[in-house]
Amino acid sequence: MKTAEIAQRYLDYFEKNDHTIVPSASLVSPDPSILFTIAGMVPFIPYLNGTVPAPYARAADVQKCIRTNDIEEVGKTARHGTFFQMLGNWSFGDYFKQGAIEYAWELLTSPEASGGLGFDERDLWVTVYEDDDEAFGLWRGIGLPEERIQRFGAADNYWSTGQPGPAGPCSEIYFDRGPKYGRDGGPAVDDDRFTEIWNLVFMQYEITNVRSKTEFDVVGELPKKNIDTGMGLERVAFIKQGVENMYETDQVRPVLDRAVDLSGRRYGANHEDDVRFRVIADHVRSSLMLLSDGVTPSNEGRGYILRRLMRRTIRSMRLLGVDVATFPELFSASRDAMSTAYPVVTEDWDRISRSAFAEEETFLRTLASGSTILDLAVEKTKDAGGTSIAGDEAFLLHDTYGFPIDLTLEIAEEAGLSVDRAAFDTLMQEQRARAKADAKSRKRALADPGVYREFRALGETVFTGYTDLETESSVLGLLADGRAVDRAAQGEIVEVILAETALYAESGGQVADKGVIVGPGFELEVLDVQKPLPGLVSHTVEVTVGEVGLGQPARSVVDAANRRAARQAHSATHLVHAALRDTLGRTATQAGSLNRAGYLRFDFAWSQALSESTRSEIEEIANNAVRENLEVSTRVLSLDDAKAAGAMALFGEKYGETVRMVDIGGPWSRELCAGTHVATSAEVGLINLVGESSVGATNRRVEALVGLEAFRSLAAERALVSQLTTSLKTPREQLPARIAELTASLKAAEKKIAAFEARALADRVPALADAAKAAGPHRLVAESLGSAASADDVRTVALQVRDRLGSDPAVVALGADVGGRAIVVVATNEAARSAGAKAGALVKIAAGVLGGGGGGRDDVAQGGGTDVSAMPAALTAISEALAA
């Protein structure tokens, strides 16, 4: 039975039993505290914990999941994989234990011919929580023998989020793979032979004072009891298909087979190669699915996880003897295997493949350079009798060559070495600290999501801002430092929850509105507006006048000028997107955006820089749409109807069952968008593309000024051109040629000056050599040259002076100010080195005084620092070191 057929049978069964079929949520988690959807329950958490009322009483789904905490175990066991699909059926205060157990048993044991999964009852075992006599009795009631029902403790059969809130016992269903796989006696004896396939969670209690997974206090029973079940699709598939593990199922095996073909090695020949084949099969599928959900490779967050999966794949292929690009073959195989269940991987193949292939090309170059350096580090460590590669060398590989630390760890382990991870982590922390030193947070952090639950339970915050710039409401909640309070006085910064608001909460790339909230005796300046939970708006405010309290009437007032400019920017973003697709084609899809008053930033899928003519064409198309005064209309309709109408659903956005579709000029620009927009395109005013750059191997970014800001920018450029024409006494059309002529003249003059300075330094060589003094057994020249054009000039002079000092032990240490930075070069002859003078060691002494660093060979070395005034002390330090 194919994997897709198992999933469809599951959905058909539960739809027949009055469950709403819910499409899989994105792999990009809606929960800001986790990167990915790591379990089938993640999209339903707001319904399960009561934060958001469930829109249906019972539901079923096939949820895509990614989990990488056990990435090192992938390929080594039958059940560890990074991408998996979780079949789930859910009850929100509807049926409970009896219904969940009966549904699961009927689906599992009904014959395939009647739509079931056809498991033999004799192969199924069950575990229940040790005190759950009710579940035990229900399993007995459907005919399961008592000896195939085992009781486990809270560590195995009790579910909670690990936080105060809903919890409850669970019952797990296991399949007996037979004596070939281990001892008899059920899951309590051998969980390799007995494979868990389905977990039924009975969410019936509220817990508090959670101390660990097994230690907590039960407050009492929940008023509404929920069912949360999860059946692993891959596990069911490898059992139904009669294969050994998930890597050999129909959705994964084609990639493994293609890797076998490319490598020329046989699957099943040896354990190490088999693990590599499985890693490749798993990671390619996971990468494909992440790319299909809009994740792109990067060095942070989700993008880093994707990059790690892809690079582990490349590394595994290299260990199988393949050092050329293989993604075109491997990803195509995965696309064909997954397209039946997920047509998007075929529909978006151009974008997905472009991103994957570019990442492989980049990393193959990284491997070529980084592997050589790492091999030298391994060799040096072994030659010195060491067992651990230095942390600074691992950091250099990561920071300079883009060589990921996990790959360094793997290669070191293969060579029988470890890596000084503590030193590496320290250097990483220092780097992050430096990067963040000047960064300022744009907005205050929101409170813990659980704090908002009671407010969300009162209903959704009504947003009136599409039509109104002022709205009367009342204060439902006040939060100070994450805690609910009754009042807030002048000068305090708090969060305010209103029943209705005209203020737009940041989302969809549009920043939050500016404005005020006013009421009897108080005025609040709005600093930020966010949605901490779906359907709930929180206003971060500063109390500027009076005191605000719970229950008081409050009027939200939008800054009209700022909103007008924000609307212009958001509509302009849609126009630029349409112009990009019109110019570059349908694959130039949005990958992120930011729009605020007078400005837009737009990221899109594209792998090469735009020419000046292409940029001009895009700008002209967008501004023509402004000039044509196209109607901007919005409709609220179902997601399916919007997609059928051709609306673009953008990656990274979360959509409900109903969506808001924004048309500009009918179908010319049709996108799903909750932002605020102008009424006609002419209101945008003007779009001025001011920048285009790379934001990754497969993404580009355009920036534009909009409306009055665009006019001001063009007016400033006009004034600048006017000033240049006057100063250079050159007509406007001849300015480029005149500036090029002046630039060429300046470069020629700089070249002549540099040559003159180099000759002047060379002329000083005899006098410098004559100034040599004794320092221990050496003759030492330690002088400052003043200023120099480059460090190379200082180095050249140092070598020339050294050559003039003959064969006696001689050391030359010359310093100079090169562009405001202190540079020191040390050169030694063979006799000096034999007497113990090493140029690299001496440079480090001087560089330490100068506030910097340096190093090099024993015969010549270079260093420097930021403190030019310390040069005399640095040269003295060298003299003292030689004399000691």
Side-chain angles (χ1 to χ4, degrees):
M1 190 181 293
K2 299 291 187 184
T3 304
E5 182 187 348
I6 296 169
Q8 193 58 53
R9 283 172 179 255
Y10 185 91
L11 295 177
D12 290 345
Y13 172 81
F14 281 103
E15 185 174 33
K16 183 178 67 176
N17 285 283
D18 302 321
H19 287 66
T20 298
I21 304 304
V22 180
S24 174
S26 170
L27 286 169
V28 177
S29 170
D31 183 344
S33 66
I34 53 178
L35 293 176
F36 296 118
T37 300
I38 58 174
M41 68 167 295
V42 169
F44 297 96
I45 288 175
Y47 310 148
L48 294 171
N49 64 20
T51 301
V52 178
Y56 23 67
R58 49 176 71 181
D61 70 333
V62 181
Q63 176 59 48
K64 302 177 291 185
C65 303
I66 284 279
R67 196 178 295 169
T68 58
N69 54 319
D70 291 330
I71 193 170
E72 304 299 337
E73 298 303 312
V74 171
K76 298 176 182 177
T77 73
R79 57 183 183 269
H80 279 98
T82 52
F83 173 84
F84 60 97
Q85 299 158 90
M86 190 60 71
L87 305 167
N89 59 285
W90 314 82
S91 167
F92 307 104
D94 190 6
Y95 63 83
F96 197 49
K97 289 183 185 179
Q98 182 174 350
I101 288 172
E102 289 177 352
Y103 284 141
W105 191 254
E106 181 179 29
L107 176 59
L108 285 173
T109 60
S110 294
E112 292 182 12
S114 61
L117 294 177
F119 280 93
D120 190 324
E121 295 181 12
R122 293 170 297 181
D123 292 331
L124 299 178
W125 290 63
V126 165
T127 65
V128 297
Y129 179 55
E130 56 190 1
D131 294 335
D132 194 353
D133 295 332
E134 181 185 2
F136 188 94
L138 288 169
W139 283 115
R140 289 289 292 117
I142 63 170
L144 194 64
E146 185 172 334
E147 61 269 19
R148 295 217 308 275
I149 309 173
Q150 297 184 329
R151 294 180 185 262
F152 281 14
D156 297 295
N157 277 69
Y158 203 94
W159 176 91
S160 77
T161 63
Q163 301 292 328
C170 62
S171 180
E172 297 176 335
I173 305 173
Y174 288 78
F175 175 78
D176 181 2
R177 301 177 73 195
K180 173 183 174 184
Y181 296 96
R183 295 179 298 158
D184 200 358
V189 173
D190 191 328
D191 64 357
D192 283 329
R193 169 173 171 171
F194 297 89
T195 299
E196 179 201 337
I197 57 174
W198 204 339
N199 186 16
L200 315 178
V201 176
F202 311 129
M203 204 177 298
Q204 66 187 102
Y205 299 112
E206 181 179 357
I207 63 172
T208 188
N209 193 21
V210 180
R211 301 175 293 282
S212 70
K213 179 174 173 60
T214 58
E215 295 180 328
F216 46 81
D217 297 332
V218 177
V219 177
E221 291 207 348
L222 294 168
K224 292 181 67 174
K225 300 175 183 178
N226 301 322
I227 287 294
D228 158 12
T229 86
M231 179 160 68
L233 179 54
E234 281 74 14
R235 293 191 184 187
V236 176
F238 85 68
I239 292 169
K240 294 299 295 180
Q241 293 173 21
V243 296
E244 292 297 309
N245 51 61
M246 61 167 287
Y247 311 104
E248 298 175 16
T249 60
D250 62 299
Q251 287 188 345
V252 188
R253 181 64 187 250
V255 182
L256 190 153
D257 289 340
R258 195 71 197 99
V260 167
D261 293 341
L262 292 169
S263 69
R265 302 192 187 185
R266 185 170 64 85
Y267 181 59
N270 70 73
H271 176 70
E272 286 188 354
D273 280 357
D274 286 354
V275 170
R276 289 163 186 155
F277 283 127
R278 293 170 190 157
V279 165
I280 292 162
D282 172 87
H283 286 9
V284 166
R285 183 172 76 141
S286 298
S287 299
L288 174 76
M289 299 309 297
L290 285 170
L291 286 163
S292 74
D293 270 7
V295 181
T296 56
S298 71
N299 289 329
E300 294 181 347
R302 300 180 183 94
Y304 174 76
I305 300 298
L306 172 59
R307 174 162 283 169
R308 186 181 181 197
L309 291 169
M310 298 171 82
R311 292 184 170 187
R312 278 173 58 88
T313 301
I314 298 166
R315 169 74 177 152
S316 295
M317 287 301 299
R318 286 173 68 88
L319 292 173
L320 289 168
V322 184
D323 56 6
V324 296
T326 59
F327 278 9
E329 299 280 349
L330 298 176
F331 273 78
S332 296
S334 190
R335 173 202 61 198
D336 296 343
M338 296 299 293
S339 59
T340 300
Y342 301 99
V344 67
V345 299
T346 298
E347 295 165 3
D348 278 357
W349 178 244
D350 285 346
R351 178 186 59 81
I352 292 168
S353 60
R354 188 167 57 246
S355 184
F357 301 167
E359 178 66 17
E360 181 178 35
E361 181 182 343
T362 299
F363 190 54
L364 285 175
R365 291 196 299 268
T366 296
L367 277 176
S369 57
S371 293
T372 301
I373 295 168
L374 183 54
D375 289 344
L376 290 172
V378 168
E379 182 180 349
K380 184 174 74 173
T381 302
K382 287 186 171 182
D383 288 346
T387 60
S388 179
I389 294 173
D392 58 351
E393 293 187 87
F395 180 74
L396 175 69
L397 281 164
H398 167 85
D399 194 46
T400 304
Y401 297 95
F403 211 74
I405 182 60
D406 51 276
L407 192 55
T408 300
L409 292 168
E410 287 182 16
I411 295 174
E413 184 179 359
E414 289 165 7
L417 300 174
S418 62
V419 175
D420 187 346
R421 187 61 189 268
F424 172 85
D425 290 341
T426 298
L427 290 168
M428 281 296 295
Q429 290 168 6
E430 290 174 355
Q431 184 195 57
R432 293 189 184 112
R434 287 192 298 270
K436 294 178 180 178
D438 297 326
K440 293 183 179 179
S441 177
R442 188 178 61 83
K443 52 181 172 280
R444 291 165 51 87
L446 294 172
D448 183 275
V451 176
Y452 302 102
R453 187 182 305 168
E454 62 180 279
F455 304 121
R456 181 60 181 83
L458 299 174
E460 290 195 30
T461 307
V462 177
F463 176 62
T464 64
Y466 291 132
T467 56
D468 301 320
L469 296 182
E470 295 189 17
T471 292
E472 297 289 345
S473 186
S474 60
V475 178
L476 296 183
L478 290 167
L479 295 170
D481 297 323
R483 295 178 296 104
V485 296
D486 294 332
R487 313 194 70 76
Q490 185 171 334
E492 291 187 67
I493 294 178
V494 294
E495 291 178 61
V496 176
I497 311 293
L498 303 177
E500 301 87 14
T501 184
L503 291 152
Y504 183 81
E506 179 178 358
S507 62
Q510 182 174 332
V511 302
D513 272 335
K514 294 180 179 179
V516 295
I517 298 172
V518 297
F522 69 83
E523 182 170 324
L524 316 175
E525 180 187 355
V526 176
L527 307 177
D528 192 24
V529 190
Q530 294 289 322
K531 291 182 178 179
L533 292 176
L536 183 73
V537 174
S538 172
H539 311 76
T540 299
V541 303
E542 180 178 358
V543 184
T544 54
V545 176
E547 183 179 80
V548 60
L550 286 178
Q552 288 187 287
R555 184 171 78 255
S556 55
V557 182
V558 177
D559 181 324
N562 183 76
R563 166 70 77 79
R564 185 184 311 111
R567 286 203 311 262
Q568 290 175 310
H570 203 152
S571 296
T573 301
H574 287 221
L575 296 177
V576 169
H577 191 187
L580 278 163
R581 288 167 63 80
D582 197 8
T583 305
L584 303 177
R586 293 180 57 82
T587 59
T589 53
Q590 180 172 338
S593 69
L594 171 70
N595 39 78
R596 61 172 185 261
Y599 170 85
L600 72 85
R601 185 184 75 205
F602 186 86
D603 298 346
F604 59 100
W606 202 250
S607 56
Q608 54 190 349
L610 303 183
S611 67
E612 192 62 40
S613 61
T614 301
R615 285 176 55 180
S616 296
E617 183 180 357
I618 293 165
E619 189 176 50
E620 183 174 348
I621 291 171
N623 279 294
N624 278 340
V626 172
R627 186 186 63 185
E628 291 171 10
N629 198 25
L630 303 173
E631 180 185 3
V632 180
S633 62
T634 62
R635 285 181 283 166
V636 176
L637 63 171
S638 73
L639 179 60
D640 289 340
D641 287 346
K643 288 182 176 179
M648 291 194 63
L650 304 178
F651 291 116
E653 293 297 311
K654 311 295 185 299
Y655 301 106
E657 293 182 1
T658 60
V659 294
R660 183 169 179 262
M661 186 170 75
V662 177
D663 286 357
I664 303 180
W668 184 72
S669 170
R670 177 168 288 169
E671 298 187 21
L672 305 184
C673 180
T676 62
H677 289 274
V678 297
T680 66
S681 62
E683 293 181 36
V684 169
L686 180 65
I687 302 171
N688 177 17
L689 288 185
V690 293
E692 190 268 342
S693 58
S694 170
V695 286
T698 58
N699 284 326
R700 304 293 298 180
R701 169 175 293 171
V702 292
E703 296 176 88
L705 298 176
V706 182
L708 186 58
E709 291 301 318
F711 169 76
R712 288 171 175 161
S713 174
L714 292 173
E717 289 184 9
R718 180 181 62 190
L720 179 61
V721 170
S722 177
Q723 183 180 353
L724 287 171
T725 58
T726 301
S727 298
L728 300 178
K729 297 181 175 57
T730 303
R732 177 195 299 260
E733 62 275 9
Q734 295 178 17
L735 275 177
R738 177 61 175 148
I739 292 172
E741 178 185 332
L742 290 173
T743 301
S745 297
L746 179 60
K747 287 182 178 178
E750 289 174 344
K751 190 174 181 180
K752 288 179 180 179
I753 292 169
F756 173 79
E757 290 179 343
R759 282 197 302 271
L761 284 175
D763 289 344
R764 295 178 61 183
V765 169
L768 288 168
D770 291 343
K773 297 178 181 179
H778 312 280
R779 295 179 67 201
L780 170 66
V781 174
E783 297 286 343
S784 173
L785 301 179
S787 62
S790 71
D792 284 344
D793 288 345
V794 181
R795 187 186 187 94
T796 298
V797 173
L799 293 175
Q800 290 175 348
V801 172
R802 182 189 65 179
D803 291 344
R804 291 181 68 93
L805 292 176
S807 58
D808 292 335
V811 176
V812 179
L814 299 181
D817 178 345
V818 178
R821 180 174 174 80
I823 296 295
V824 63
V825 174
V826 176
T828 62
N829 63 13
E830 185 175 351
R833 293 192 293 276
S834 298
K838 310 295 185 184
L842 294 171
V843 153
K844 288 181 179 179
I845 293 171
V849 177
L850 296 170
R857 303 192 307 269
D858 290 345
D859 62 332
V860 62
Q862 178 181 316
T866 56
D867 189 358
V868 177
S869 67
M871 184 62 73
L875 296 173
T876 299
I878 291 177
S879 178
E880 291 174 349
L882 287 171

